[in-house]
mmCIF file of all heavy atoms in Angstrom:
data_model
loop_
_atom_site.group_PDB
_atom_site.id
_atom_site.type_symbol
_atom_site.label_atom_id
_atom_site.label_comp_id
_atom_site.label_asym_id
_atom_site.label_seq_id
_atom_site.Cartn_x
_atom_site.Cartn_y
_atom_site.Cartn_z
ATOM 1 N N ARG A 1 -35.704 42.512 0.466
ATOM 2 C CA ARG A 1 -35.445 41.710 1.663
ATOM 3 C C ARG A 1 -34.223 42.221 2.422
ATOM 4 O O ARG A 1 -34.215 42.268 3.651
ATOM 5 C CB ARG A 1 -35.231 40.238 1.282
ATOM 6 C CG ARG A 1 -36.445 39.572 0.688
ATOM 7 C CD ARG A 1 -37.616 39.551 1.637
ATOM 8 N NE ARG A 1 -38.465 40.721 1.530
ATOM 9 C CZ ARG A 1 -39.133 41.261 2.519
ATOM 10 N NH1 ARG A 1 -39.059 40.785 3.743
ATOM 11 N NH2 ARG A 1 -39.884 42.320 2.338
ATOM 12 N N ILE A 2 -33.170 42.604 1.690
ATOM 13 C CA ILE A 2 -31.962 43.119 2.344
ATOM 14 C C ILE A 2 -32.271 44.428 3.048
ATOM 15 O O ILE A 2 -31.800 44.679 4.169
ATOM 16 C CB ILE A 2 -30.825 43.310 1.315
ATOM 17 C CG1 ILE A 2 -30.422 41.965 0.700
ATOM 18 C CG2 ILE A 2 -29.617 43.971 1.969
ATOM 19 C CD1 ILE A 2 -29.907 40.943 1.693
ATOM 20 N N ALA A 3 -33.060 45.292 2.408
ATOM 21 C CA ALA A 3 -33.436 46.568 3.024
ATOM 22 C C ALA A 3 -34.226 46.333 4.311
ATOM 23 O O ALA A 3 -33.999 47.007 5.326
ATOM 24 C CB ALA A 3 -34.260 47.402 2.040
ATOM 25 N N TYR A 4 -35.126 45.353 4.274
ATOM 26 C CA TYR A 4 -35.935 45.039 5.449
ATOM 27 C C TYR A 4 -35.042 44.560 6.606
ATOM 28 O O TYR A 4 -35.173 45.036 7.744
ATOM 29 C CB TYR A 4 -36.957 43.966 5.092
ATOM 30 C CG TYR A 4 -37.820 43.523 6.249
ATOM 31 C CD1 TYR A 4 -38.982 44.214 6.566
ATOM 32 C CD2 TYR A 4 -37.477 42.408 7.016
ATOM 33 C CE1 TYR A 4 -39.779 43.810 7.638
ATOM 34 C CE2 TYR A 4 -38.257 42.006 8.077
ATOM 35 C CZ TYR A 4 -39.401 42.704 8.382
ATOM 36 O OH TYR A 4 -40.175 42.300 9.446
ATOM 37 N N ILE A 5 -34.150 43.641 6.316
ATOM 38 C CA ILE A 5 -33.271 43.093 7.354
ATOM 39 C C ILE A 5 -32.311 44.161 7.876
ATOM 40 O O ILE A 5 -31.949 44.172 9.054
ATOM 41 C CB ILE A 5 -32.497 41.883 6.796
ATOM 42 C CG1 ILE A 5 -33.465 40.732 6.516
ATOM 43 C CG2 ILE A 5 -31.428 41.411 7.772
ATOM 44 C CD1 ILE A 5 -32.831 39.564 5.787
ATOM 45 N N SER A 6 -31.916 45.086 7.000
ATOM 46 C CA SER A 6 -30.955 46.131 7.384
ATOM 47 C C SER A 6 -31.501 47.054 8.459
ATOM 48 O O SER A 6 -30.727 47.692 9.181
ATOM 49 C CB SER A 6 -30.561 46.959 6.149
ATOM 50 O OG SER A 6 -29.873 46.170 5.205
ATOM 51 N N ILE A 7 -32.826 47.143 8.595
ATOM 52 C CA ILE A 7 -33.417 48.000 9.633
ATOM 53 C C ILE A 7 -32.925 47.576 11.007
ATOM 54 O O ILE A 7 -32.426 48.387 11.794
ATOM 55 C CB ILE A 7 -34.958 47.950 9.563
ATOM 56 C CG1 ILE A 7 -35.453 48.570 8.253
ATOM 57 C CG2 ILE A 7 -35.571 48.670 10.763
ATOM 58 C CD1 ILE A 7 -36.939 48.361 7.997
ATOM 59 N N GLY A 8 -33.048 46.288 11.315
ATOM 60 C CA GLY A 8 -32.605 45.780 12.606
ATOM 61 C C GLY A 8 -31.100 45.865 12.784
ATOM 62 O O GLY A 8 -30.611 46.127 13.895
ATOM 63 N N VAL A 9 -30.365 45.635 11.707
ATOM 64 C CA VAL A 9 -28.896 45.716 11.771
ATOM 65 C C VAL A 9 -28.458 47.129 12.129
ATOM 66 O O VAL A 9 -27.578 47.340 12.987
ATOM 67 C CB VAL A 9 -28.271 45.281 10.423
ATOM 68 C CG1 VAL A 9 -26.759 45.466 10.450
ATOM 69 C CG2 VAL A 9 -28.631 43.824 10.110
ATOM 70 N N LEU A 10 -29.066 48.125 11.501
ATOM 71 C CA LEU A 10 -28.717 49.521 11.764
ATOM 72 C C LEU A 10 -29.112 49.943 13.181
ATOM 73 O O LEU A 10 -28.384 50.706 13.831
ATOM 74 C CB LEU A 10 -29.387 50.427 10.731
ATOM 75 C CG LEU A 10 -28.793 50.345 9.321
ATOM 76 C CD1 LEU A 10 -29.711 51.011 8.304
ATOM 77 C CD2 LEU A 10 -27.413 50.995 9.284
ATOM 78 N N VAL A 11 -30.247 49.453 13.666
ATOM 79 C CA VAL A 11 -30.652 49.751 15.044
ATOM 80 C C VAL A 11 -29.618 49.193 16.021
ATOM 81 O O VAL A 11 -29.195 49.886 16.967
ATOM 82 C CB VAL A 11 -32.051 49.167 15.340
ATOM 83 C CG1 VAL A 11 -32.348 49.196 16.849
ATOM 84 C CG2 VAL A 11 -33.127 49.942 14.595
ATOM 85 N N PHE A 12 -29.190 47.965 15.806
ATOM 86 C CA PHE A 12 -28.220 47.329 16.702
ATOM 87 C C PHE A 12 -26.880 48.063 16.699
ATOM 88 O O PHE A 12 -26.345 48.406 17.762
ATOM 89 C CB PHE A 12 -28.010 45.867 16.292
ATOM 90 C CG PHE A 12 -26.969 45.154 17.112
ATOM 91 C CD1 PHE A 12 -27.283 44.671 18.373
ATOM 92 C CD2 PHE A 12 -25.687 44.975 16.634
ATOM 93 C CE1 PHE A 12 -26.329 44.021 19.140
ATOM 94 C CE2 PHE A 12 -24.719 44.320 17.388
ATOM 95 C CZ PHE A 12 -25.040 43.844 18.641
ATOM 96 N N TYR A 13 -26.335 48.334 15.518
ATOM 97 C CA TYR A 13 -25.026 48.991 15.453
ATOM 98 C C TYR A 13 -25.108 50.455 15.873
ATOM 99 O O TYR A 13 -24.145 51.006 16.419
ATOM 100 C CB TYR A 13 -24.431 48.869 14.048
ATOM 101 C CG TYR A 13 -23.754 47.543 13.834
ATOM 102 C CD1 TYR A 13 -24.357 46.542 13.086
ATOM 103 C CD2 TYR A 13 -22.520 47.269 14.409
ATOM 104 C CE1 TYR A 13 -23.758 45.307 12.911
ATOM 105 C CE2 TYR A 13 -21.903 46.038 14.238
ATOM 106 C CZ TYR A 13 -22.530 45.061 13.489
ATOM 107 O OH TYR A 13 -21.925 43.836 13.335
ATOM 108 N N GLY A 14 -26.254 51.094 15.646
ATOM 109 C CA GLY A 14 -26.428 52.456 16.124
ATOM 110 C C GLY A 14 -26.425 52.526 17.634
ATOM 111 O O GLY A 14 -25.914 53.482 18.232
ATOM 112 N N ALA A 15 -26.994 51.504 18.282
ATOM 113 C CA ALA A 15 -27.019 51.450 19.744
ATOM 114 C C ALA A 15 -25.630 51.197 20.322
ATOM 115 O O ALA A 15 -25.300 51.668 21.420
ATOM 116 C CB ALA A 15 -27.980 50.359 20.201
ATOM 117 N N MET A 16 -24.792 50.479 19.599
ATOM 118 C CA MET A 16 -23.450 50.154 20.083
ATOM 119 C C MET A 16 -22.577 51.398 20.275
ATOM 120 O O MET A 16 -21.619 51.377 21.052
ATOM 121 C CB MET A 16 -22.759 49.187 19.109
ATOM 122 C CG MET A 16 -23.261 47.760 19.206
ATOM 123 S SD MET A 16 -22.463 46.654 18.009
ATOM 124 C CE MET A 16 -20.754 46.760 18.526
ATOM 125 N N TYR A 17 -22.913 52.485 19.591
ATOM 126 C CA TYR A 17 -22.098 53.701 19.675
ATOM 127 C C TYR A 17 -22.151 54.340 21.062
ATOM 128 O O TYR A 17 -21.137 54.802 21.578
ATOM 129 C CB TYR A 17 -22.575 54.720 18.630
ATOM 130 C CG TYR A 17 -21.778 54.689 17.352
ATOM 131 C CD1 TYR A 17 -22.034 53.723 16.390
ATOM 132 C CD2 TYR A 17 -20.769 55.616 17.113
ATOM 133 C CE1 TYR A 17 -21.309 53.676 15.216
ATOM 134 C CE2 TYR A 17 -20.034 55.572 15.941
ATOM 135 C CZ TYR A 17 -20.301 54.601 14.992
ATOM 136 O OH TYR A 17 -19.575 54.552 13.834
ATOM 137 N N ASN A 18 -23.358 54.405 21.646
ATOM 138 C CA ASN A 18 -23.549 55.230 22.836
ATOM 139 C C ASN A 18 -23.993 54.492 24.084
ATOM 140 O O ASN A 18 -24.017 55.075 25.161
ATOM 141 C CB ASN A 18 -24.588 56.325 22.533
ATOM 142 C CG ASN A 18 -24.144 57.225 21.391
ATOM 143 O OD1 ASN A 18 -22.979 57.570 21.281
ATOM 144 N ND2 ASN A 18 -25.082 57.602 20.528
ATOM 145 N N ILE A 19 -24.391 53.241 23.960
ATOM 146 C CA ILE A 19 -24.887 52.499 25.124
ATOM 147 C C ILE A 19 -23.754 51.679 25.728
ATOM 148 O O ILE A 19 -23.204 50.785 25.055
ATOM 149 C CB ILE A 19 -26.064 51.593 24.728
ATOM 150 C CG1 ILE A 19 -27.225 52.465 24.209
ATOM 151 C CG2 ILE A 19 -26.536 50.753 25.910
ATOM 152 C CD1 ILE A 19 -28.409 51.684 23.696
ATOM 153 N N PRO A 20 -23.357 51.984 26.966
ATOM 154 C CA PRO A 20 -22.184 51.319 27.565
ATOM 155 C C PRO A 20 -22.246 49.802 27.548
ATOM 156 O O PRO A 20 -21.252 49.130 27.291
ATOM 157 C CB PRO A 20 -22.202 51.853 29.011
ATOM 158 C CG PRO A 20 -22.918 53.158 28.930
ATOM 159 C CD PRO A 20 -23.956 52.977 27.860
ATOM 160 N N GLU A 21 -23.433 49.239 27.821
ATOM 161 C CA GLU A 21 -23.544 47.779 27.870
ATOM 162 C C GLU A 21 -23.298 47.120 26.518
ATOM 163 O O GLU A 21 -22.967 45.935 26.439
ATOM 164 C CB GLU A 21 -24.933 47.368 28.369
ATOM 165 C CG GLU A 21 -25.192 47.701 29.832
ATOM 166 C CD GLU A 21 -25.814 49.087 29.985
ATOM 167 O OE1 GLU A 21 -25.664 49.917 29.067
ATOM 168 O OE2 GLU A 21 -26.445 49.328 31.021
ATOM 169 N N LEU A 22 -23.479 47.880 25.430
ATOM 170 C CA LEU A 22 -23.264 47.329 24.092
ATOM 171 C C LEU A 22 -21.979 47.831 23.451
ATOM 172 O O LEU A 22 -21.531 47.278 22.450
ATOM 173 C CB LEU A 22 -24.447 47.696 23.179
ATOM 174 C CG LEU A 22 -25.795 47.040 23.480
ATOM 175 C CD1 LEU A 22 -26.859 47.576 22.532
ATOM 176 C CD2 LEU A 22 -25.710 45.526 23.357
ATOM 177 N N ALA A 23 -21.408 48.903 24.021
ATOM 178 C CA ALA A 23 -20.250 49.547 23.395
ATOM 179 C C ALA A 23 -19.071 48.603 23.232
ATOM 180 O O ALA A 23 -18.306 48.694 22.268
ATOM 181 C CB ALA A 23 -19.832 50.772 24.204
ATOM 182 N N GLY A 24 -18.914 47.672 24.183
ATOM 183 C CA GLY A 24 -17.776 46.760 24.094
ATOM 184 C C GLY A 24 -18.067 45.490 23.325
ATOM 185 O O GLY A 24 -17.224 44.602 23.217
ATOM 186 N N THR A 25 -19.265 45.393 22.769
ATOM 187 C CA THR A 25 -19.675 44.196 22.030
ATOM 188 C C THR A 25 -19.038 44.188 20.642
ATOM 189 O O THR A 25 -19.086 45.180 19.926
ATOM 190 C CB THR A 25 -21.202 44.140 21.879
ATOM 191 O OG1 THR A 25 -21.795 44.247 23.167
ATOM 192 C CG2 THR A 25 -21.636 42.836 21.229
ATOM 193 N N HIS A 26 -18.434 43.087 20.295
ATOM 194 C CA HIS A 26 -17.841 42.943 18.959
ATOM 195 C C HIS A 26 -18.576 41.813 18.237
ATOM 196 O O HIS A 26 -18.366 40.637 18.509
ATOM 197 C CB HIS A 26 -16.338 42.640 19.056
ATOM 198 C CG HIS A 26 -15.548 43.740 19.686
ATOM 199 N ND1 HIS A 26 -15.248 44.916 19.037
ATOM 200 C CD2 HIS A 26 -15.026 43.854 20.935
ATOM 201 C CE1 HIS A 26 -14.554 45.705 19.836
ATOM 202 N NE2 HIS A 26 -14.406 45.090 21.004
ATOM 203 N N VAL A 27 -19.449 42.196 17.334
ATOM 204 C CA VAL A 27 -20.248 41.229 16.586
ATOM 205 C C VAL A 27 -20.067 41.484 15.100
ATOM 206 O O VAL A 27 -20.209 42.612 14.628
ATOM 207 C CB VAL A 27 -21.750 41.335 16.950
ATOM 208 C CG1 VAL A 27 -22.547 40.266 16.223
ATOM 209 C CG2 VAL A 27 -21.950 41.224 18.451
ATOM 210 N N ASP A 28 -19.737 40.436 14.376
ATOM 211 C CA ASP A 28 -19.556 40.556 12.934
ATOM 212 C C ASP A 28 -20.879 40.951 12.284
ATOM 213 O O ASP A 28 -21.949 40.453 12.670
ATOM 214 C CB ASP A 28 -19.067 39.212 12.373
ATOM 215 C CG ASP A 28 -18.730 39.309 10.898
ATOM 216 O OD1 ASP A 28 -17.622 39.737 10.570
ATOM 217 O OD2 ASP A 28 -19.610 38.954 10.083
ATOM 218 N N VAL A 29 -20.799 41.843 11.296
ATOM 219 C CA VAL A 29 -22.018 42.333 10.654
ATOM 220 C C VAL A 29 -22.806 41.208 9.983
ATOM 221 O O VAL A 29 -24.043 41.214 9.984
ATOM 222 C CB VAL A 29 -21.681 43.452 9.637
ATOM 223 C CG1 VAL A 29 -20.868 42.902 8.460
ATOM 224 C CG2 VAL A 29 -22.952 44.129 9.132
ATOM 225 N N LEU A 30 -22.124 40.201 9.458
ATOM 226 C CA LEU A 30 -22.826 39.068 8.850
ATOM 227 C C LEU A 30 -23.603 38.271 9.887
ATOM 228 O O LEU A 30 -24.661 37.707 9.581
ATOM 229 C CB LEU A 30 -21.837 38.161 8.116
ATOM 230 C CG LEU A 30 -21.324 38.651 6.760
ATOM 231 C CD1 LEU A 30 -20.343 37.647 6.173
ATOM 232 C CD2 LEU A 30 -22.497 38.864 5.793
ATOM 233 N N ASP A 31 -23.077 38.233 11.126
ATOM 234 C CA ASP A 31 -23.803 37.548 12.194
ATOM 235 C C ASP A 31 -25.138 38.241 12.479
ATOM 236 O O ASP A 31 -26.166 37.579 12.648
ATOM 237 C CB ASP A 31 -22.959 37.516 13.474
ATOM 238 C CG ASP A 31 -21.799 36.544 13.388
ATOM 239 O OD1 ASP A 31 -21.838 35.662 12.505
ATOM 240 O OD2 ASP A 31 -20.861 36.666 14.193
ATOM 241 N N VAL A 32 -25.105 39.570 12.527
ATOM 242 C CA VAL A 32 -26.329 40.326 12.818
ATOM 243 C C VAL A 32 -27.320 40.177 11.673
ATOM 244 O O VAL A 32 -28.525 40.003 11.897
ATOM 245 C CB VAL A 32 -26.012 41.812 13.073
ATOM 246 C CG1 VAL A 32 -27.276 42.558 13.502
ATOM 247 C CG2 VAL A 32 -24.951 41.959 14.146
ATOM 248 N N TYR A 33 -26.819 40.233 10.426
ATOM 249 C CA TYR A 33 -27.709 40.026 9.274
ATOM 250 C C TYR A 33 -28.328 38.637 9.329
ATOM 251 O O TYR A 33 -29.526 38.463 9.039
ATOM 252 C CB TYR A 33 -26.942 40.212 7.966
ATOM 253 C CG TYR A 33 -27.022 41.604 7.405
ATOM 254 C CD1 TYR A 33 -25.973 42.494 7.554
ATOM 255 C CD2 TYR A 33 -28.152 42.053 6.722
ATOM 256 C CE1 TYR A 33 -26.037 43.797 7.052
ATOM 257 C CE2 TYR A 33 -28.238 43.340 6.217
ATOM 258 C CZ TYR A 33 -27.176 44.199 6.378
ATOM 259 O OH TYR A 33 -27.256 45.476 5.887
ATOM 260 N N ALA A 34 -27.523 37.635 9.681
ATOM 261 C CA ALA A 34 -28.033 36.257 9.743
ATOM 262 C C ALA A 34 -29.080 36.115 10.843
ATOM 263 O O ALA A 34 -30.124 35.465 10.644
ATOM 264 C CB ALA A 34 -26.879 35.284 9.977
ATOM 265 N N LEU A 35 -28.838 36.727 11.998
ATOM 266 C CA LEU A 35 -29.807 36.658 13.093
ATOM 267 C C LEU A 35 -31.130 37.320 12.701
ATOM 268 O O LEU A 35 -32.212 36.795 12.986
ATOM 269 C CB LEU A 35 -29.231 37.325 14.346
ATOM 270 C CG LEU A 35 -28.053 36.603 15.016
ATOM 271 C CD1 LEU A 35 -27.471 37.455 16.132
ATOM 272 C CD2 LEU A 35 -28.482 35.247 15.553
ATOM 273 N N GLU A 36 -31.038 38.468 12.040
ATOM 274 C CA GLU A 36 -32.243 39.150 11.566
ATOM 275 C C GLU A 36 -32.988 38.274 10.546
ATOM 276 O O GLU A 36 -34.212 38.202 10.548
ATOM 277 C CB GLU A 36 -31.875 40.489 10.923
ATOM 278 C CG GLU A 36 -31.758 41.637 11.896
ATOM 279 C CD GLU A 36 -33.095 42.059 12.456
ATOM 280 O OE1 GLU A 36 -34.139 41.791 11.834
ATOM 281 O OE2 GLU A 36 -33.111 42.649 13.546
ATOM 282 N N ALA A 37 -32.219 37.628 9.677
ATOM 283 C CA ALA A 37 -32.836 36.754 8.666
ATOM 284 C C ALA A 37 -33.557 35.585 9.327
ATOM 285 O O ALA A 37 -34.688 35.244 8.945
ATOM 286 C CB ALA A 37 -31.769 36.243 7.699
ATOM 287 N N TYR A 38 -32.930 34.982 10.343
ATOM 288 C CA TYR A 38 -33.572 33.853 11.039
ATOM 289 C C TYR A 38 -34.863 34.301 11.724
ATOM 290 O O TYR A 38 -35.857 33.561 11.736
ATOM 291 C CB TYR A 38 -32.607 33.243 12.057
ATOM 292 C CG TYR A 38 -31.527 32.395 11.434
ATOM 293 C CD1 TYR A 38 -30.174 32.581 11.758
ATOM 294 C CD2 TYR A 38 -31.833 31.390 10.516
ATOM 295 C CE1 TYR A 38 -29.176 31.804 11.183
ATOM 296 C CE2 TYR A 38 -30.849 30.612 9.935
ATOM 297 C CZ TYR A 38 -29.517 30.824 10.273
ATOM 298 O OH TYR A 38 -28.534 30.053 9.692
ATOM 299 N N CYS A 39 -34.853 35.507 12.283
ATOM 300 C CA CYS A 39 -36.089 36.050 12.887
ATOM 301 C C CYS A 39 -37.191 36.148 11.836
ATOM 302 O O CYS A 39 -38.356 35.796 12.091
ATOM 303 C CB CYS A 39 -35.827 37.433 13.480
ATOM 304 S SG CYS A 39 -34.778 37.454 14.943
ATOM 305 N N TRP A 40 -36.823 36.650 10.681
ATOM 306 C CA TRP A 40 -37.786 36.846 9.587
ATOM 307 C C TRP A 40 -38.315 35.504 9.087
ATOM 308 O O TRP A 40 -39.518 35.337 8.867
ATOM 309 C CB TRP A 40 -37.099 37.630 8.477
ATOM 310 C CG TRP A 40 -37.919 37.851 7.251
ATOM 311 C CD1 TRP A 40 -39.192 38.337 7.176
ATOM 312 C CD2 TRP A 40 -37.515 37.580 5.907
ATOM 313 N NE1 TRP A 40 -39.613 38.400 5.866
ATOM 314 C CE2 TRP A 40 -38.595 37.939 5.071
ATOM 315 C CE3 TRP A 40 -36.341 37.096 5.339
ATOM 316 C CZ2 TRP A 40 -38.528 37.806 3.691
ATOM 317 C CZ3 TRP A 40 -36.283 36.970 3.968
ATOM 318 C CH2 TRP A 40 -37.369 37.325 3.150
ATOM 319 N N PHE A 41 -37.421 34.505 8.923
ATOM 320 C CA PHE A 41 -37.857 33.188 8.456
ATOM 321 C C PHE A 41 -38.858 32.573 9.437
ATOM 322 O O PHE A 41 -39.862 31.988 9.026
ATOM 323 C CB PHE A 41 -36.659 32.238 8.309
ATOM 324 C CG PHE A 41 -35.611 32.710 7.347
ATOM 325 C CD1 PHE A 41 -34.269 32.347 7.529
ATOM 326 C CD2 PHE A 41 -35.925 33.516 6.265
ATOM 327 C CE1 PHE A 41 -33.285 32.777 6.644
ATOM 328 C CE2 PHE A 41 -34.953 33.952 5.381
ATOM 329 C CZ PHE A 41 -33.626 33.580 5.569
ATOM 330 N N GLY A 42 -38.577 32.703 10.727
ATOM 331 C CA GLY A 42 -39.436 32.101 11.734
ATOM 332 C C GLY A 42 -40.833 32.689 11.759
ATOM 333 O O GLY A 42 -41.809 31.993 12.065
ATOM 334 N N ALA A 43 -40.946 33.963 11.419
ATOM 335 C CA ALA A 43 -42.257 34.629 11.451
ATOM 336 C C ALA A 43 -43.217 34.065 10.420
ATOM 337 O O ALA A 43 -44.439 34.191 10.574
ATOM 338 C CB ALA A 43 -42.070 36.128 11.226
ATOM 339 N N TYR A 44 -42.697 33.412 9.375
ATOM 340 C CA TYR A 44 -43.552 32.891 8.309
ATOM 341 C C TYR A 44 -44.360 31.663 8.718
ATOM 342 O O TYR A 44 -45.247 31.237 7.989
ATOM 343 C CB TYR A 44 -42.720 32.557 7.068
ATOM 344 C CG TYR A 44 -42.486 33.756 6.190
ATOM 345 C CD1 TYR A 44 -41.305 34.480 6.284
ATOM 346 C CD2 TYR A 44 -43.442 34.196 5.282
ATOM 347 C CE1 TYR A 44 -41.085 35.598 5.491
ATOM 348 C CE2 TYR A 44 -43.231 35.312 4.491
ATOM 349 C CZ TYR A 44 -42.052 36.004 4.601
ATOM 350 O OH TYR A 44 -41.848 37.116 3.831
ATOM 351 N N CYS A 45 -44.065 31.104 9.872
ATOM 352 C CA CYS A 45 -44.815 29.906 10.276
ATOM 353 C C CYS A 45 -46.078 30.267 11.044
ATOM 354 O O CYS A 45 -46.874 29.379 11.384
ATOM 355 C CB CYS A 45 -43.936 28.985 11.124
ATOM 356 S SG CYS A 45 -43.775 29.509 12.838
#
């Protein structure tokens, strides 16, 4: 489950490196993991 959620986390933080609109974004890594988890939980319905 952690590996699955990490896919979206890595995509988000990888984009923050080079995309100006995201470069200044400061988001805690636990927040991104939690958001990915909530997405996954919702899909089960």
Side-chain angles (χ1 to χ4, degrees):
R1 295 299 89 212
I2 297 299
Y4 178 86
I5 293 172
S6 296
I7 294 171
V9 176
L10 288 167
V11 167
F12 177 80
Y13 278 104
M16 284 178 62
Y17 264 80
N18 300 321
I19 298 176
E21 291 91 338
L22 291 177
T25 306
H26 297 285
V27 183
D28 186 83
V29 66
L30 284 179
D31 287 342
V32 185
Y33 266 102
L35 292 173
E36 274 290 338
Y38 284 130
C39 291
W40 177 50
F41 301 151
Y44 276 97
C45 79

